[in-house]
Amino acid sequence: MIFHPLGKYILLLKAVFRRPEKWNIYKKEIFHEMVSIGVGSLGIIAIISVFLGAVTTVQTAFQLVSDLIPKSVIGMILRDSSILELSPTISAVVLAGKVGSSVASQIGTMRVTEQIDALEIMGINSPGYLILPKIIAAVTTIPLLVIISIGLSITGGYFAGTASGALTEQDFITGITTDFNTFTFTVCMVKAVIFAFIITSVSAYQGFYTSGGALEVGQSSTKAVVISCIAILFSDYVIAQLLL
Amino acid sequence: MIEIKNIHKTFGENHVLQGISAEFAEGKCNLIIGGSGSGKTTLLKCMVGLHEPEEGSVIYDGRDFTRMNFATRIEIRTEIGMLFQGSALFDSMNVEDNIMFPINMFTNQSHKEKLDRANFCLERVNLAGKNKLFPAELSGGMKKRVGIARAIAMTPKYLFVDEPNSGLDPKTAIIIDELIQELTTEYNTTTVVVTHDMNSVMGIGENIIFLHEGKKWWEGTNKEISSTDNKELNEFVFASKFMQALQKK
């Protein structure tokens, strides 16, 4: 049951990575998509990151009731959980909803209104022209969004922690600067790139093979988000298992 | 000239095209007509490579399109212009960018040359000055004309038109038909029009193929169609009361 769509997905990816007809036009599309995916998602990523950091700090402080554990541990936990899990994974799930549904519905609408057929009649490799710029834009901008998310999450945690009195400014700074393992950041970037690829390619696949009308475009969009989220969580586990 | 030989196409259990062979002459409007579900659009899509027939071949001036791979098909595809039923204009681009799109992709012309060509095509379809409008701002007839302008942007040798008059008022439909015929003569293109509009059939049908139940049922011209004794074709042509009244006269 899974092999037929998986085979179609791989064949689609093969067509996506075929040599572009004209790099100049693709370049323009890549920059356009970078603005749409990167800049367009900055607001939502900023909001969720600040609150994720704040909530993590407050809840960690609530659970660390023992006097034997220094308060600076809260900062360490926030830093590591933001880098390893919260920022890459939660951002990816949110982006699967925002970017994934947009990609699937955009390509799906082009399919049902024969715009993809028009591209093919002209001799243009439609998977390449429509999907490759989105993938390149996502794998370059989503890691940047994740870095911003880490920064904002730690900032949110700082304000929530100090404002609530859970820990002092000094404890927090000691926490986030002690025993930092740079490999966690590498794992975070690996996750961000893989999640970005999953979001765009899975959503584009759903959109590209849409058939019917407006109802089916909506269904493709929903399927794109659901499948992307499952694939993100599954690959999150695989990456953690392999790299840590 | 386009030649199709023994085209078969099946969707699941449904054998849509059952061995269709025909020739479409250069410089003429070749019409494919038939009732809904007769296989007209499927045949057109097989001809342009949007569907792959299980059997048979499509030959463009001696070049067997069906035996070519993606890379070699591009040469023929750049010689094809197509107007889709829903116009299929790119929503994200304005009229000018829609027309310039194939030129941008396949030529190294300067911006001025491309713009001149786009303006020429727009003038040719009587839409001069509408360059900056987006598809959402156009009426159905205007969309069709922009679709035609985009189809002729690369000066095609083969022009395919799918249901050019669907959703248009009779006056606009006639304008579109006349435009297709003028362009066919002007560029000496091999034009293939899929339609079930009898005004088109009588107006521009220089060579007509009637499909019925996935088979070629009849072939002739618009002059011959009204005098045929083919039962299925007569049922199709004279289905409306207006045409029945004409037949009685």
Side-chain angles (χ1 to χ4, degrees):
Chain A
M1 200 180 81
I2 194 173
F3 295 111
H4 180 66
L6 188 66
K8 264 170 83 178
Y9 174 72
I10 291 165
L11 287 175
L12 180 70
L13 288 182
K14 195 179 152 203
V16 166
F17 291 104
R18 212 178 267 156
R19 200 164 68 91
E21 292 83 5
K22 242 185 181 181
W23 262 115
N24 276 350
I25 292 171
Y26 276 62
K27 246 193 302 189
K28 205 173 133 193
E29 285 298 312
I30 290 167
F31 287 125
H32 174 76
E33 294 295 341
M34 279 171 136
V35 173
S36 166
I37 296 171
V39 180
S41 307
L42 206 51
I44 183 81
I45 291 297
I47 293 167
I48 61 150
S49 303
V50 169
F51 283 105
L52 274 176
V55 170
T56 307
T57 305
V58 171
Q59 289 185 355
T60 310
F62 170 74
Q63 287 173 321
L64 287 179
V65 285
S66 171
D67 289 336
L68 295 173
I69 303 168
K71 294 285 184 193
S72 61
V73 169
I74 298 169
M76 283 172 69
I77 291 173
L78 172 67
R79 180 197 66 202
D80 287 343
S81 51
S82 290
I83 293 173
L84 272 177
E85 191 61 23
L86 295 178
S87 286
T89 311
I90 304 294
S91 298
V93 169
V94 170
L95 289 174
K98 188 190 173 288
V99 177
S101 64
S102 153
V103 167
S105 55
Q106 187 193 337
I107 296 177
T109 304
M110 288 187 78
R111 167 63 76 195
V112 301
T113 56
E114 297 180 311
Q115 291 176 52
I116 292 179
D117 289 348
L119 284 172
E120 280 172 12
I121 293 288
M122 289 175 197
I124 292 159
N125 172 28
S126 58
Y129 176 72
L130 294 174
I131 304 170
L132 186 63
K134 290 180 180 19
I135 291 179
I136 294 175
V139 297
T140 49
T141 55
I142 290 180
L144 294 176
L145 286 174
V146 170
I147 293 170
I148 294 169
S149 166
I150 293 167
L152 289 172
S153 170
I154 291 172
T155 311
Y158 167 79
F159 283 117
T162 52
S164 65
L167 75 172
T168 64
E169 188 183 328
Q170 190 54 48
D171 283 339
F172 188 85
I173 290 168
T174 308
I176 60 167
T177 52
T178 306
D179 293 338
F180 176 56
N181 182 353
T182 50
F183 185 65
T184 56
F185 185 72
T186 309
V187 175
C188 171
M189 287 298 102
V190 169
K191 282 186 179 184
V193 169
I194 290 173
F195 295 164
F197 183 81
I198 288 171
I199 292 168
T200 39
S201 63
V202 168
S203 306
Y205 167 82
Q206 290 300 331
F208 199 80
Y209 290 111
T210 302
S211 59
L215 181 69
E216 285 78 9
V217 172
Q219 286 169 346
S220 294
S221 180
T222 309
K223 266 167 89 179
V225 176
V226 172
I227 297 169
S228 296
C229 286
I230 294 168
I232 286 166
L233 296 174
F234 177 73
S235 56
D236 187 28
Y237 165 70
V238 173
I239 294 165
Q241 189 73 54
L242 290 176
L243 297 183
L244 296 175
Chain B
M1 189 180 80
I2 306 170
E3 230 180 312
I4 55 170
K5 288 180 185 170
N6 193 32
I7 298 284
H8 284 265
K9 180 69 190 168
T10 310
F11 294 107
E13 297 289 300
N14 193 6
H15 198 166
V16 181
L17 301 176
Q18 300 172 28
I20 295 178
S21 300
E23 284 182 7
F24 301 97
E26 196 175 282
K28 276 187 179 177
C29 277
N30 303 276
L31 266 62
I32 302 172
I33 63 169
S36 298
S38 59
K40 307 182 296 291
T41 301
T42 305
L43 178 60
L44 190 81
K45 288 189 172 178
C46 284
M47 288 174 73
V48 296
L50 289 174
H51 288 328
E52 294 300 328
E54 280 94 29
E55 228 183 280
S57 45
V58 179
I59 299 162
Y60 285 83
D61 290 313
R63 296 168 293 175
D64 192 344
F65 189 67
T66 34
R67 304 281 174 273
M68 292 176 171
N69 60 23
F70 179 84
T72 45
R73 277 184 178 189
I74 288 176
E75 188 197 328
I76 291 181
R77 283 196 156 141
T78 52
E79 296 171 0
I80 291 176
M82 182 157 174
L83 172 65
F84 288 84
Q85 191 173 352
S87 302
L89 299 178
F90 303 126
D91 297 327
S92 56
M93 298 178 195
N94 63 27
V95 165
E96 182 181 284
D97 290 339
N98 261 285
I99 299 168
M100 278 164 48
F101 185 77
I103 314 174
N104 276 332
M105 273 289 185
F106 294 106
T107 72
N108 291 316
Q109 292 178 13
S110 68
H111 183 72
K112 191 187 172 300
E113 284 172 318
K114 287 184 275 193
L115 195 59
D116 287 346
R117 179 67 191 163
N119 284 331
F120 170 79
C121 293
L122 277 175
E123 270 171 36
R124 193 63 200 79
V125 297
N126 299 321
L127 283 176
K130 306 286 182 195
N131 302 44
K132 299 297 174 193
L133 292 179
F134 277 84
E137 298 170 291
L138 303 174
S139 68
M142 284 164 91
K143 278 184 189 168
K144 295 268 183 190
R145 282 188 279 163
V146 175
I148 293 174
R150 186 177 67 182
I152 61 166
M154 295 281 282
T155 327
K157 279 175 79 175
Y158 314 101
L159 183 63
F160 293 90
V161 187
D162 188 12
E163 307 274 11
N165 301 332
S166 64
L168 299 182
D169 64 88
K171 203 176 158 187
T172 312
I174 289 167
I175 292 169
I176 298 288
D177 282 345
E178 285 173 353
L179 189 58
I180 291 166
Q181 191 164 43
E182 282 169 25
L183 293 168
T184 302
T185 315
E186 198 174 312
Y187 294 112
N188 198 32
T189 55
T190 306
T191 301
V192 180
V193 182
V194 162
T195 187
H196 47 60
D197 182 66
M198 283 314 296
N199 287 326
S200 297
V201 173
M202 301 317 283
I204 61 170
E206 294 169 276
N207 175 34
I208 302 165
I209 287 165
F210 173 64
L211 298 188
H212 182 68
E213 293 175 349
K215 291 177 186 150
K216 187 171 89 174
W217 216 256
W218 182 87
E219 189 171 357
T221 66
N222 52 0
K223 292 185 179 69
E224 293 163 352
I225 203 166
S226 50
S227 56
T228 178
D229 56 358
N230 186 302
K231 183 174 163 277
E232 285 77 14
L233 180 59
N234 275 327
E235 280 173 9
F236 173 78
V237 172
F238 300 106
S240 73
K241 288 201 166 74
F242 176 71
M243 289 302 286
Q244 284 165 11
L246 272 183
Q247 191 186 25
K248 279 173 193 164
K249 278 185 185 176

